Amino acid sequence: MTAPAPALSVEGLRVAVGPPGRGRAVVGDVAFAIPPGGRLAIVGESGSGKSMTALAVAGLLPRGARQTAGQIALGGRIVDPAGPGMARIRGREIAMIFQDPMSALNPVMTVGAQLVEAIRAHSAMSPRAARARAAEMLAAVQIPRPAERLDAWPHEFSGGMRQRVMIAMALTHRPKLLIADEPTTALDVTTQLQILRLIDGLCREEGSALMLITHDLGIVEGFCDSVVVLYGGRMMEAGPVAAVLGRPRHPYTRGLMATIPPLDRDVDWLDPIPGEPVATPAADAPGCPFAPRCGLAEARCRTVTPAWRPAGSKVAASCHLLAPSPAGGGLS
Amino acid sequence: MPSSGAVTGGRGALVTAPALAVEGLTVGYGRAAPVLQSVTLTLPQGETLGLVGESGSGKTTLARAVVGLVAPTAGSIRVFGADIAALDRAGRALLRRRVQMVFQDPYTSLDPTMTVGEAVAEPLVVHGLGGRAERAAWVDELMRLVGLDASIAARFPAELSGGQRQRVAIARALAPAPALVICDEPVSALDVSVQAQILNLLKRLQRELGLSLLFVSHDLSVVRFLAQRIAVIEGGRIVEDGPRVAVLDRPQHPYTRALIEAARLRARPAGG
């Protein structure tokens, strides 16, 4: 029996910015797969390449950035996200929601008109039927009095309501993959939880796979089943959420856990990672991008890029110290 | 008669006066519902009070009222025992020196045309503290205190990282030797690995300098790390107020429980 093709598979993804030939890689050798209905988190700080990875998959890279290597497949079919066929795929097979729902909505169109446009972009539905469907969608994202709200303008909605509209729009055509790039970062904390539960519930109902971009490990723990940890445009560690967060192998993942204040107990001091993330990394430079901030770094960490290797059941990581070193020791 | 000397705080002040005592504070604009309604809060000297709420809760208005940037409709604010509405001119000048603020966004709170050294020294110049040589020595000392290399004093804010800028903003706030520091979401714009550095710094400074800290935040895990007491504000009212552990481990108000549940999204996962 063969396993069903993954909803999304990414192999050897590389994204560069700047002029061709003289560009700098901001994402290097990123690879992962999401099974149908699976929920993957991509975690990282500023400059980790997490948003660039998401935009590359959706074929929405900003001007000046381009995919220079790698293969992206949707449901087992290889696609070219930058190619002309992507417009038919985006919105129907892949949908994306962003951090700021105000700038993603058109301020001079009513909410209903935007939903109708999204529905009719990929179906031959009549305007009247599309409007009825739009009201159903607003109801599905738990907006009260949905039929009346179709005539509202985006500025009449709160941030949380706007994000609900974006979710409704994204899930219109039951995509196989929903990409959510920091969908709750701009919202109030109690609204964040409601929106994440809504995304989670609707993805389960529709059977959509979820690729969630976040910097919050608590969100990863609560809403995803596997996780990719990025730093400086490269993969540090990946695996099932329970394994990676329960027993982080990579010094960066460990450092990230220790740096966050716990909610359920008192600690006198936090264990910060020294220094700050580099805003514009060179993901193709030799060595480990985390080496300058890593307390365990050795000479080879700065000169030799560590291989991606298994680091436990279903977990893999990129760190020299995970392999038995000539001096003995190692982390695992 | 209001005594301006009482605002001094620190060693010279009466130990019995809280750093901050807000009583029945109401702030309203026109006919709209008041932004703050009968808010009562106490911050004992040398402690940290965490004020937790979401946007629109009135937490920033409260912080601004304490530094006299917002006029109350009713109620009183006492800083080290002195009613800030009854201060004379000298008292108000002293208040502006002894109460300092650190803001959320270190990108907009620093003047881009001033070097770091000028920005940190500016409050000293404004308050007429020290001569040129003394100010330069104090700026060096402040830079060391917040963990910045003295060479950074010659740079401009645009050349610094987010964490470095927030350290500069803290050094600038500490320059006139305040006794009460109000921090309004000082780490929410920073990456998590940098946030921990600033939180440790604030805790260390609070202890070493005996500062009283009003720490305004939406994040209960951050507040748990820093504060002895927590006040929860919703819709301009304090809905719960008490010692840190009691509020977090035995919350009484449903809104506090909702905030705790939401804070798990940000907090260290259970595995860690």
Side-chain angles (χ1 to χ4, degrees):
Chain A
M1 197 180 100
T2 52
L8 170 69
S9 80
V10 173
E11 275 173 48
L13 177 68
R14 184 171 286 247
V15 176
V17 294
R22 289 185 293 125
R24 190 181 56 241
V26 291
V27 172
D29 295 324
V30 166
F32 56 87
I34 314 177
R39 300 173 305 161
L40 174 93
I42 303 218
V43 176
E45 298 179 274
S46 311
S48 65
K50 58 188 193 299
S51 285
M52 282 296 191
T53 300
L55 292 169
V57 170
L60 294 172
L61 282 172
R63 191 183 293 266
R66 65 205 178 278
Q67 183 186 336
T68 53
Q71 184 173 290
I72 292 168
L74 291 170
R77 190 163 47 89
I78 294 168
V79 295
D80 173 13
M86 198 60 187
R88 287 168 47 79
I89 291 171
R90 204 183 310 121
R92 205 166 54 173
E93 292 181 44
I94 298 189
M96 189 159 178
I97 52 179
F98 299 91
Q99 177 174 336
D100 182 359
M102 192 61 207
S103 56
L105 285 167
N106 185 339
V108 297
M109 274 173 90
T110 62
V111 166
Q114 294 182 62
L115 282 165
V116 166
E117 187 182 71
I119 293 165
R120 288 177 31 97
H122 296 288
S123 73
M125 215 179 262
S126 74
R128 181 187 294 266
R131 195 173 155 87
R133 172 84 180 114
E136 280 172 32
M137 284 156 48
L138 286 189
V141 293
Q142 294 155 22
I143 289 183
R145 296 180 286 114
E148 286 169 47
R149 296 304 184 95
L150 287 177
D151 297 319
W153 301 92
H155 73 263
E156 298 176 274
F157 279 14
S158 66
M161 298 255 287
R162 284 182 209 135
Q163 199 57 294
R164 287 173 193 271
V165 172
M166 292 313 299
I167 294 166
M169 216 177 274
L171 294 176
T172 307
H173 300 287
R174 302 192 165 86
K176 294 189 185 74
L177 174 68
L178 175 68
I179 302 175
D181 186 0
E182 305 252 15
T184 61
T185 306
L187 305 176
D188 261 327
V189 280
T190 52
T191 312
Q192 289 187 4
L193 190 58
Q194 295 164 11
I195 294 294
L196 288 164
R197 284 182 175 153
L198 182 68
I199 292 173
D200 183 54
L202 289 173
C203 281
R204 283 172 196 272
E205 270 173 43
E206 305 293 344
S208 303
L210 175 66
M211 175 173 164
L212 182 67
I213 317 299
T214 182
H215 60 267
D216 284 318
L217 291 180
I219 291 180
V220 176
E221 187 189 37
F223 292 94
C224 294
D225 36 52
S226 58
V227 56
V228 171
V229 181
L230 291 184
Y231 188 87
R234 300 190 67 93
M235 289 174 67
M236 299 289 104
E237 181 163 2
V241 166
V244 171
L245 298 187
R247 188 171 162 243
R249 312 305 208 275
H250 196 285
Y252 175 61
T253 321
R254 290 183 178 196
L256 206 52
M257 297 278 283
T259 202
I260 306 170
L263 180 65
D264 50 3
R265 63 195 156 89
D266 290 330
V267 291
D268 208 19
W269 300 106
L270 299 170
D271 238 334
I273 302 172
E276 301 197 27
V278 181
T280 50
D284 50 357
C288 169
F290 184 57
R293 301 179 70 191
C294 182
L296 301 168
E298 302 171 352
R300 59 178 169 159
C301 299
R302 294 182 191 89
T303 52
V304 183
T305 304
W308 183 247
R309 58 165 69 93
S313 174
K314 294 182 181 167
V315 179
S318 164
C319 176
H320 288 306
L321 303 176
L322 288 169
S325 69
L331 285 179
S332 50
Chain B
M1 195 189 91
S3 147
S4 54
V7 188
T8 312
R11 293 201 180 95
L14 293 170
V15 280
T16 46
L20 175 65
V22 175
E23 265 186 53
L25 181 69
T26 298
V27 174
Y29 302 99
R31 287 165 184 236
V35 183
L36 292 175
Q37 295 189 56
S38 306
V39 166
T40 295
L41 279 179
T42 304
L43 166 58
Q45 283 190 33
E47 287 195 11
T48 300
L49 171 67
L51 179 64
V52 183
E54 296 183 277
S55 55
S57 64
K59 61 190 199 297
T60 296
T61 302
L62 179 55
R64 292 170 64 88
V66 172
V67 290
L69 290 172
V70 171
T73 314
S76 70
I77 299 166
R78 288 177 179 274
V79 175
F80 298 104
D83 185 338
I84 66 165
L87 290 174
D88 57 14
R89 195 187 170 89
R92 283 196 299 274
L94 196 55
L95 178 79
R96 279 197 295 273
R97 180 151 80 77
R98 302 295 280 176
V99 182
Q100 292 295 320
M101 283 194 82
V102 177
F103 297 94
Q104 171 174 350
D105 188 354
Y107 291 83
T108 55
S109 64
L110 292 171
D111 184 337
T113 65
M114 271 190 189
T115 66
V116 165
E118 286 164 355
V120 174
E122 190 187 39
L124 302 173
V125 176
V126 167
H127 293 290
L129 301 170
R132 185 178 292 262
E134 283 166 292
R135 287 202 292 263
W138 183 218
V139 168
D140 269 2
E141 174 68 11
L142 285 163
M143 299 288 281
R144 188 197 56 77
L145 201 60
V146 299
L148 286 174
D149 194 88
S151 67
I152 286 187
R155 296 209 213 150
F156 288 93
E159 302 170 68
L160 306 184
S161 66
Q164 285 174 325
R165 282 180 222 211
Q166 201 55 299
R167 288 178 197 267
V168 172
I170 292 168
R172 180 179 153 94
L174 294 178
L180 170 60
V181 176
I182 300 167
C183 300
D184 191 358
E185 300 269 15
V187 296
S188 40
L190 303 175
D191 267 314
V192 282
S193 69
V194 180
Q195 167 184 298
Q197 299 169 12
I198 301 297
L199 291 174
N200 276 350
L201 174 67
L202 287 171
K203 196 172 201 171
R204 180 169 63 72
L205 291 172
Q206 189 271 326
R207 289 185 183 177
E208 283 180 9
L209 305 177
L211 295 174
S212 308
L213 222 56
L214 177 64
F215 189 87
V216 180
S217 177
H218 64 278
D219 188 337
L220 274 169
S221 55
V222 163
V223 167
R224 173 162 209 153
F225 174 72
L226 277 178
Q228 282 83 36
R229 292 184 68 84
I230 297 177
V232 179
I233 185 168
E234 185 196 19
R237 295 176 188 273
I238 303 292
V239 297
E240 184 152 4
D241 177 15
R244 168 186 69 219
V245 175
V247 169
L248 284 167
D249 295 351
R250 293 178 298 281
Q252 301 300 307
H253 195 278
Y255 183 66
T256 310
R257 287 197 281 270
L259 280 182
I260 291 172
E261 197 179 8
R264 292 197 196 290
L265 301 175
R266 283 269 152 72
R268 187 185 305 181

